[in-house]
Amino acid sequence: MRETISSERYITILELFVSTQLALEDRPRIEWFIQYGARPLRTEKVFRFLDEYFWNRVIALDYPKFTGTGMYWLPYSPDLTPCDYFLWGALKDTVYGNYPSTMDELESAICVACNSISVDTLKDVMSNFILRLRPLIFSNGEHFENIVF
C-alpha cells in the first residue's frame, strides 16, 4: 500500500483482516488484538471498530482510556516479534544504502532486501523468537525485567 495510512484506510484493512479471520473456521479465534500507537490508529473511529469486533480484548495505546476496557500498550515492552527485533533493523541499511528517491525505487529496494535474507538467517530469527517468548510464558504474562536477549 503506497498511500498514507489514515484512520479510514486502517479500518478498511481491519475489516479485511476480521473477515479473513472469520472465514478461517478451522483456526482458533484471536484472543487479543494488539496494535502500536501511531496516531491514525488511535482515533475514535478506530477504537469503536476495535471495540465492536474485539470487545475488551485489545492492547493498544489510549484504548483503555477511550473504552474503559482492554489493556494499555506498555511503553517499554520488549520487542518480541521478529519484525520488531530483526526485520526492520536488518532491512534499513540495505534499503536506504542506495538512497532511493522515488516510491518505485524504495519498493524495489525493499523487495531486494527481503529476498536477500537467507533461510538460515530466518531459522535463527525464529529460534530467537521462541527464546523471547519463554520469559513471557514463565511469567504467566506478568511483568518481567532484566532479560537480555
Side-chain angles (χ1 to χ4, degrees):
M1 175 180 288
R2 290 180 173 214
E3 298 86 17
T4 300
I5 298 294
S6 64
S7 293
E8 291 76 20
R9 284 195 180 108
Y10 184 58
I11 289 172
T12 301
I13 293 167
L14 287 172
E15 287 170 341
L16 179 60
F17 173 76
V18 166
S19 65
T20 302
Q21 291 300 311
L22 293 174
L24 299 172
E25 296 173 6
D26 62 330
R27 297 186 63 191
R29 283 183 52 106
I30 292 177
E31 293 297 321
W32 285 83
F33 182 82
I34 302 172
Q35 75 173 20
Y36 285 108
R39 185 142 328 268
L41 312 185
R42 297 183 329 206
T43 66
E44 183 176 339
K45 288 180 184 179
V46 170
F47 287 157
R48 287 191 194 286
F49 179 90
L50 294 174
D51 194 48
E52 179 181 344
Y53 286 95
F54 299 103
W55 308 293
N56 63 343
R57 297 181 331 264
V58 175
I59 300 171
L61 186 62
D62 292 336
Y63 181 81
K65 187 182 347 178
F66 177 80
T67 63
T69 63
M71 293 175 57
Y72 277 101
W73 179 264
L74 299 175
Y76 301 105
S77 298
D79 292 333
L80 292 175
T81 68
C83 288
D84 290 331
Y85 72 82
F86 166 73
L87 187 61
W88 308 138
L91 296 182
K92 185 176 62 173
D93 293 337
T94 305
V95 168
Y96 292 111
N98 292 326
Y99 304 100
S101 57
T102 66
M103 286 296 285
D104 288 333
E105 289 176 3
L106 179 61
E107 185 176 304
S108 177
I110 291 170
C111 290
V112 167
C114 286
N115 288 329
S116 71
I117 301 171
S118 73
V119 172
D120 287 338
T121 297
L122 293 175
K123 286 179 181 177
D124 289 344
V125 168
M126 293 314 297
S127 294
N128 189 274
F129 180 52
I130 293 166
L131 292 175
R132 287 169 179 268
L133 291 177
R134 283 189 180 141
L136 182 64
I137 292 167
F138 293 142
S139 74
N140 199 27
E142 297 294 323
H143 177 76
F144 60 89
E145 51 185 270
N146 301 326
I147 304 293
V148 178
F149 296 108

